[in-house]
Amino acid sequence: MIRILLAEDQHVIRGALVALLNLEPDLEVVVAVQSGDEAVAAAPAHRPDVAVLDIDMPGTLDGLDAAAEIRARVPGCRTLMLTGYGKPGHLRRALTAQVDGFVLKTAPPEEVTAAIRKVVQGERVLDPSLAVTAWNLAENPLTPREADILRLAAGGAEATEIAGRLFLSAGTVRNYLTTIVAKLNARNRTDAARIATEAGWI
């Protein structure tokens, strides 16, 4: 019997997935939670074979953060990500985090159950519709310092605040932001932050 931890914040979808998975003779949902934080707390207690995690969940940990924590706390537990859409940034983070599988919620039920069985057997699973996205992930053009500055700018920090936090002059920060906007072919720093976030660079 494959023991499953399920984390999905939408009650109706969570209930439907539990019912669907428990219909399978070799699958059992041992715990179902609604956040990444709850998933991380539940994993050591229930020792699941696989954690099936929605990416976008409330709380301090999203699904990808939770996957990394669960792998650290329960090394034998595989991780399968569920998402409503294949954002390049999510896919990049998933590949970096070395999750075992990435499946769209719109996939047919038999694909989801097959993906669970495959990851438990040690295979990596990527939804076929996301394969092209995976191939087309562009390299991050930002230096680590530029990424730090843009991350702070995306959070609403002004140049003077960024300068103080990174021990730079305000002029240097403005120069970095100008370079970042140019590198990303963005209209302004807000647009640059959006582009970088969607691509998974910040």
Side-chain angles (χ1 to χ4, degrees):
M1 186 68 75
I2 296 172
R3 295 166 55 80
I4 301 166
L5 179 159
L6 175 68
E8 161 63 59
D9 65 309
Q10 295 184 42
H11 181 75
V12 173
I13 295 176
R14 187 171 66 252
L17 282 168
V18 169
L20 168 76
L21 296 173
N22 282 337
L23 283 174
E24 298 293 314
D26 59 334
L27 304 181
E28 179 189 8
V29 178
V30 293
V31 60
V33 298
Q34 62 183 355
S35 72
D37 304 79
E38 290 177 4
V40 169
H46 293 273
R47 312 296 294 183
D49 299 304
V50 59
V52 179
L53 308 165
D54 183 18
I55 289 183
D56 295 306
M57 290 186 286
T60 55
L61 300 173
D62 68 9
L64 289 167
D65 293 328
E69 281 290 320
I70 289 170
R71 288 175 72 93
R73 297 185 187 198
V74 188
C77 181
R78 302 289 180 170
T79 50
L80 177 66
M81 310 311 300
L82 285 179
T83 185
Y85 32 81
K87 284 184 180 176
H90 282 162
L91 188 52
R92 179 185 297 280
R93 283 182 59 210
L95 295 173
T96 301
Q98 295 185 315
V99 301
D100 301 293
F102 198 99
V103 179
L104 292 176
K105 289 181 185 177
T106 52
E110 59 270 20
E111 285 187 17
V112 176
T113 54
I116 289 171
R117 293 183 181 103
K118 285 179 181 177
V119 298
V120 169
Q121 291 167 3
E123 296 180 43
R124 300 289 292 275
V125 177
L126 178 63
D127 191 292
S129 65
L130 299 174
V132 173
T133 304
W135 280 110
N136 291 334
L137 286 176
E139 285 299 313
N140 184 355
L142 302 176
T143 65
R145 174 62 89 189
E146 289 168 345
D148 288 342
I149 288 171
L150 186 57
R151 195 174 294 111
L152 290 170
E158 293 297 327
T160 49
E161 183 185 344
I162 296 170
R165 289 173 69 174
L166 298 181
F167 306 103
L168 301 168
S169 72
T172 299
V173 170
R174 289 188 193 93
N175 289 340
Y176 269 118
L177 288 168
T178 300
T179 301
I180 291 165
V181 168
K183 273 188 176 183
L184 300 184
N185 294 316
R187 294 186 300 277
N188 50 44
R189 68 179 67 172
T190 303
D191 191 37
R194 177 191 61 78
I195 291 168
T197 300
E198 289 181 358
W201 296 331
I202 62 171

